[in-house]
Amino acid sequence: EAAQQVAGASLPTLISLVDKSLLQVSDDWRYEWHPLLYQYAEEKLREDPDSEARTRTKHSHYYLELLLDKTPTSNADLLVLEVERDNIVAAWKWALSVQDTASIAKTAPLLALFLMRTSHLRQAINVFEHAQDALEDAGSCGPLQLARAQILERSGQLNSAKQIAQSALTLLKNQTDTSNASDAWRHNVEAAQIDVVLVLSRCLVRMGDTDDARALLEQVHDIATQLVSHKLAAVLAELGHALLMTGDVT
């Protein structure tokens, strides 16, 4: 399917390439080619910049849609995404290179969660450091900053995670104040706002600022009650942890 949508290669064409030993079929039924042949194809593609841009854009759209279609909390979906990890990261980097802020905003938290749940934390750090440098308006992209905060929290860089989460929270709050926003858009921004507060509250608790963590969680509690149940459950769990850390067990 990917070969057809990205390169326009039909099944008969793929079979013909296999018959000529230009492609091989792996044990998991994926098409593979020799690294030298891949290098040659890359060089030929670069000879036509317009064709290269179209092909890489199709590749980026296909694999970022795959990321959006799967759930990084599902083990079955994680297996599918792990097989395509190199393609997904390459697709994301191309979106960065062409300043496709909309695609970056939609996929940043999903990519971060996927890489963290599959134990690729070092790659996640590198990918999102590159994103911060490559995207011109990275500082105003709330979902990107949320993802960076999540990764830094996971890696134990609490001060950096806290600062970035605070910045992301300000961005997202400003976005929810937009009067002409659709209900669906506002819902997504509020969900991201809760995710940022969860990161920020965990950092604060680990740094000993439990009262501030409790105050933040109480602020978003009402928003969480209007969203999907797992958001409310997450807020209540973190709020309970913060209360326990302050000695309030009533």
Side-chain angles (χ1 to χ4, degrees):
E1 183 181 353
Q4 184 173 10
Q5 291 199 26
V6 175
S10 64
L11 182 59
T13 298
L14 294 171
I15 293 173
S16 174
L17 292 172
V18 171
D19 290 341
K20 296 174 182 177
S21 299
L22 295 175
L23 285 179
Q24 292 82 42
V25 180
S26 65
D27 292 339
D28 56 355
W29 296 100
R30 291 169 57 81
Y31 291 104
E32 297 177 346
W33 50 4
H34 192 281
L36 289 177
L37 188 58
Y38 179 84
Q39 181 180 344
Y40 173 76
E42 284 265 300
E43 291 172 355
K44 294 296 290 183
L45 186 61
R46 291 195 187 99
E47 290 178 1
D48 185 346
D50 290 340
S51 177
E52 179 186 14
R54 286 193 299 271
T55 301
R56 295 195 187 280
T57 298
K58 288 180 183 178
H59 177 275
S60 181
H61 287 169
Y62 180 87
Y63 283 102
L64 293 185
E65 283 298 321
L66 177 67
L67 179 60
L68 288 167
D69 187 53
K70 301 299 178 182
T71 306
T73 54
S74 160
N75 289 335
D77 284 354
L78 281 175
L79 289 174
V80 175
L81 294 174
E82 176 61 19
V83 170
E84 301 291 0
R85 178 163 52 91
D86 289 345
N87 278 314
I88 291 169
V89 172
W92 208 68
K93 287 183 175 179
W94 177 257
L96 285 169
S97 72
V98 297
Q99 303 297 306
D100 185 357
T101 306
S103 292
I104 296 302
K106 285 193 299 183
T107 56
L110 289 172
L111 180 60
L113 182 59
F114 158 53
L115 292 175
M116 289 189 293
R117 283 184 58 85
T118 51
S119 301
H120 299 296
L121 184 57
R122 173 48 56 187
Q123 183 178 26
I125 292 171
N126 292 337
V127 166
F128 280 85
E129 282 180 353
H130 169 70
Q132 183 66 15
D133 294 335
L135 195 66
E136 291 176 359
D137 56 352
S140 60
C141 182
L144 174 60
Q145 301 310 317
L146 163 61
R148 291 181 65 219
Q150 290 171 324
I151 291 166
L152 291 170
E153 181 213 352
R154 178 67 65 88
S155 65
Q157 301 178 57
L158 299 182
N159 276 318
S160 295
K162 173 187 170 183
Q163 292 172 8
I164 293 170
Q166 288 172 328
S167 174
L169 186 58
T170 300
L171 285 171
L172 292 167
K173 282 182 175 179
N174 290 339
Q175 290 177 1
T176 56
D177 291 338
T178 303
S179 59
N180 60 351
S182 68
D183 289 342
W185 186 87
R186 189 182 299 276
H187 176 98
N188 290 335
V189 173
E190 288 177 342
Q193 185 176 326
I194 289 173
D195 288 336
V196 172
V197 168
L198 291 172
V199 174
L200 185 52
S201 66
R202 288 193 297 266
C203 290
L204 290 169
V205 167
R206 291 172 67 182
M207 297 169 72
D209 297 330
T210 50
D211 288 336
D212 288 345
R214 174 179 175 176
L216 275 172
L217 290 163
E218 288 175 343
Q219 288 174 22
V220 298
H221 176 269
D222 290 342
I223 297 175
T225 60
Q226 302 172 34
L227 299 175
V228 290
S229 59
H230 72 269
K231 294 291 184 187
L232 177 59
V235 169
L236 290 174
E238 292 299 333
L239 183 56
H241 184 224
L243 290 171
L244 182 63
M245 296 300 291
T246 60
D248 187 349
V249 294
T250 56

